[in-house]
Amino acid sequence: MSKLQKQMQEELVEKNVFDQARTYSYEYINGIEKMDVFPSEDNLERLTNFDEPLQNKPYSAEKIIEKLHFFGSPATIAQTGGRYFGFVNGGAIPVSLGAKWLSDVWDQCGGLYLTSPINAKLESVCEDWLKDIFNLPKNTVAGFVSGTSMANLCGLAAARFHLLNNLGWDVNENGMNGAPKLRIIAHDQVHASIKKTLAMLGYGKNSIERMPSDDQGRLIVDELPELDNSSLILLQAGNANTGSFDYFDKVCDLANEVGAWVHIDGAFGLWAAASQPLSHLTKGIEKASSWAVDGHKTLNTPYDSGAILCRYPDALISALQATGEYIIYSEQRDPLLFTPELSKRSRAIELWATMKYLGKEGMNEMITGFHLRAKQLEEALKELNFQILNEVVFNQVLVTCENDEETKQVIQYMQRSGECWLGGTTWKGKAAIRVSVCSWRTTEQDIKQTIDLFKKSRAYKTLT
Ligand SMILES: *Cc1c(COP(=O)(O)O)cnc(C)c1O
């Protein structure tokens, strides 16, 4: 045994490195409500401690974990606390972290049943549960990927395979050169990840037929052109700014009449289906062909958790397998059939743990809670004469002030306060403050504190 091997063996036996990581983790978790939501300048400055050339000799495991905690933890975003409202990021439910820790120790290669039976089993269970929650057709299959960007890529690859195949073209054999034209129909509010993935699949921006959207960012159904079996329609469950939902029912009916494909990007919004008062927002989603959704946003799993759901198993599997010939349905589930990766983290484990923990009632309570907190903020801000630009149908609130300059100043004040964090955006040409309530930890008190900050931000304006 080499000296290095021996040292690593000892690390496992003594467990110091794990105990230390655990202690620091608890310290972090317990301090999160007191730390700056965005790191201070000083703590960011200290990140230069990582600027060093790689040394020659192996280094102390304990010192590595120590360094990570001392300089790394203070430079994190307090995203798992209750007052982070940036982007649509989501927190992390304790059991999901616990399940991830354990599964990290297992270090399973999630690609095959043979390389991880437990992962294959939990993927099957998650597939069934997701279909149940979203009320999707029986034959729908799920692939577990890193997030919605990847899920969109898989869904659109399946759509491309399926539509071209129906037009007599095997894209796996013949590629894109000379392929029949597909009509890609999206509204102007399509998410950046869709544009990115379309380009990766050979459909540049100019190949998209752009439809107008209404004041909430929904596709205007009457503007939809005549569809046919070469059409791919891109819809959204949860606009990343307004939180609005497209009219799935109507568009899917039109599409299904002619054999077009509807893909729904439901990164955070698809979960509205799990909330009793909000499930009307997802009416008709079950008539689409593919759905992309995140675990790490609304469901509050840790990062690296997304799923592609597809009603045509052959299309998804063929698109991700490069040839149709070796589609072998093994008796047991082989996860790599449904994802681009071969080796992959067994990420369905924490997704399973999170759904199992919450149950349907817990999901209903948590997701409805995001909406109630968003409404609380909306109502208070209206009273303070801030303008709300969106219909708060889900968890997003878009706020503006008198003019763009004032709006930007409020954002700056909030971001520098360290007490909360929210981002800026532009909505239909206007600067706006974008608030996303997306963490299980956000309480009414957190919202009250945020409202107070909005009040104070006005005074800040007069000072600068
Ligand atoms: C976040 C988001 C995405 C991208 O998902 P990732 O998990 O970040 O890859 C796509 N679409 C919408 C609507 C989103 O909110």
Side-chain angles (χ1 to χ4, degrees):
M1 199 190 288
S2 77
K3 202 177 144 209
L4 179 60
Q5 253 180 322
K6 213 170 148 201
Q7 189 187 318
M8 291 194 282
Q9 288 272 27
E10 273 166 22
E11 234 84 77
L12 284 180
V13 175
E14 288 169 10
K15 304 197 265 307
N16 289 348
V17 71
F18 303 120
D19 286 340
Q20 201 189 354
R22 195 170 62 161
T23 305
Y24 292 153
S25 298
Y26 293 160
E27 212 173 276
Y28 183 84
I29 289 166
N30 292 328
I32 193 127
E33 293 296 346
K34 278 181 222 115
M35 73 185 264
D36 288 334
V37 180
F38 192 86
S40 67
E41 290 291 327
D42 284 351
N43 285 330
L44 291 176
E45 190 55 41
R46 287 192 195 102
L47 284 175
T48 52
N49 280 288
F50 291 103
D51 294 330
E52 54 189 355
L54 183 61
Q55 81 286 345
N56 285 324
K57 295 235 185 303
Y59 194 63
S60 146
E62 282 169 50
K63 281 191 185 153
I64 289 168
I65 301 295
E66 189 180 84
K67 179 161 190 160
L68 199 54
H69 182 53
F70 282 17
F71 298 118
S73 294
T76 57
I77 308 294
Q79 183 184 299
T80 53
R83 288 183 310 284
Y84 181 80
F85 305 107
F87 305 90
V88 194
N89 281 1
I93 287 174
V95 71
S96 67
L97 288 171
K100 183 156 183 269
W101 284 6
L102 182 58
S103 70
D104 275 346
V105 173
W106 293 346
D107 194 28
Q108 300 287 282
C109 177
L112 292 170
Y113 177 81
L114 270 180
T115 55
S116 183
I118 174 63
N119 178 58
K121 170 52 76 183
L122 293 182
E123 282 203 2
S124 294
V125 174
C126 286
E127 181 180 273
D128 286 343
W129 289 0
L130 290 176
K131 276 153 62 173
D132 181 22
I133 293 165
F134 302 135
N135 193 25
L136 302 182
K138 263 205 194 90
N139 48 329
T140 301
V141 288
F144 296 92
V145 288
S146 55
T148 292
S149 301
M150 197 49 108
N152 282 336
L153 180 71
C154 297
L156 300 185
R160 182 181 70 169
F161 180 89
H162 178 93
L163 293 171
L164 288 177
N165 201 46
N166 285 350
L167 297 169
W169 185 267
D170 183 338
V171 70
N172 286 344
E173 292 294 320
N174 305 321
M176 291 291 281
N177 284 342
K181 216 173 156 193
L182 292 189
R183 292 177 58 208
I184 298 170
I185 298 161
H187 54 68
D188 53 16
Q189 283 296 315
V190 68
H191 194 266
S193 70
I194 294 274
K195 286 182 242 171
K196 188 164 151 172
T197 47
L198 280 172
M200 287 163 77
L201 291 167
Y203 300 105
K205 266 189 212 151
N206 295 339
S207 54
I208 305 176
E209 286 179 45
R210 285 300 188 98
M211 299 292 123
S213 63
D214 65 14
D215 63 336
Q216 299 300 309
R218 293 170 296 222
L219 181 106
I220 301 171
V221 182
D222 289 344
E223 301 274 345
L224 208 59
E226 192 137 335
L227 304 174
D228 58 33
N229 66 345
S230 71
S231 308
L232 164 58
I233 304 107
L234 297 156
L235 299 183
Q236 239 171 30
N239 176 290
N241 280 313
T242 63
S244 70
F245 292 69
D246 276 318
Y247 300 107
F248 310 113
D249 213 29
K250 282 188 206 157
V251 178
C252 289
D253 282 346
L254 293 171
N256 289 339
E257 259 169 45
V258 294
W261 184 293
V262 176
H263 173 79
I264 300 179
D265 174 352
F268 66 97
L270 215 61
W271 293 104
S275 154
Q276 275 158 18
L278 303 178
S279 63
H280 64 95
L281 296 167
T282 57
K283 182 163 183 275
I285 55 167
E286 71 283 355
K287 297 184 205 167
S289 307
S290 55
W291 308 263
V293 68
D294 270 327
H296 55 224
K297 289 179 178 170
T298 316
L299 192 67
N300 280 229
T301 68
Y303 274 106
D304 192 12
S305 182
I308 174 64
L309 294 140
C310 184
R311 93 182 301 140
Y312 303 108
D314 284 357
L316 183 66
I317 294 171
S318 302
L320 300 177
Q321 292 300 298
T323 110
E325 282 159 24
Y326 62 94
I327 302 176
I328 304 161
Y329 296 95
S330 47
E331 251 169 61
Q332 307 284 357
R333 178 189 173 93
D334 281 323
L336 61 74
L337 289 175
F338 311 98
T339 62
E341 308 113 303
L342 302 184
S343 303
K344 61 172 184 138
R345 216 171 62 70
S346 297
R347 52 174 73 94
I349 297 172
E350 59 267 19
L351 180 62
W352 168 82
T354 311
M355 291 195 283
K356 177 79 188 156
Y357 178 77
L358 291 171
K360 290 181 181 174
E361 282 181 16
M363 278 182 213
N364 175 39
E365 185 185 319
M366 181 173 78
I367 296 162
T368 307
F370 298 157
H371 176 61
L372 295 176
R373 298 289 87 74
K375 293 298 282 183
Q376 180 193 349
L377 183 72
E378 178 201 17
E379 277 149 29
L381 290 181
K382 271 184 182 163
E383 264 173 37
L384 293 172
N385 287 324
F386 285 93
Q387 209 191 325
I388 306 298
L389 290 179
N390 67 324
E391 292 165 17
V392 181
V393 293
F394 195 41
N395 67 329
Q396 305 289 111
V397 190
L398 277 185
V399 191
T400 57
C401 306
E402 291 283 298
N403 52 55
D404 284 4
E405 200 191 344
E406 197 187 326
T407 301
K408 283 175 188 160
Q409 272 167 344
V410 170
I411 294 171
Q412 198 182 61
Y413 174 82
M414 307 292 270
Q415 291 185 350
R416 286 183 181 173
S417 71
E419 285 187 56
C420 81
W421 201 93
L422 36 75
T425 187
T426 313
W427 182 248
K428 306 262 167 180
K430 231 180 185 179
I433 306 160
R434 177 182 179 222
V435 189
S436 179
V437 185
C438 209
S439 170
W440 66 270
R441 220 160 159 160
T442 301
T443 60
E444 283 168 56
Q445 188 51 42
D446 287 317
I447 298 290
K448 276 189 191 147
Q449 193 175 333
T450 305
I451 294 162
D452 279 345
L453 284 167
F454 266 102
K455 272 187 216 161
K456 286 185 202 157
S457 69
R458 284 216 170 113
Y460 170 78
K461 187 207 97 176
T462 59
L463 294 176
T464 47

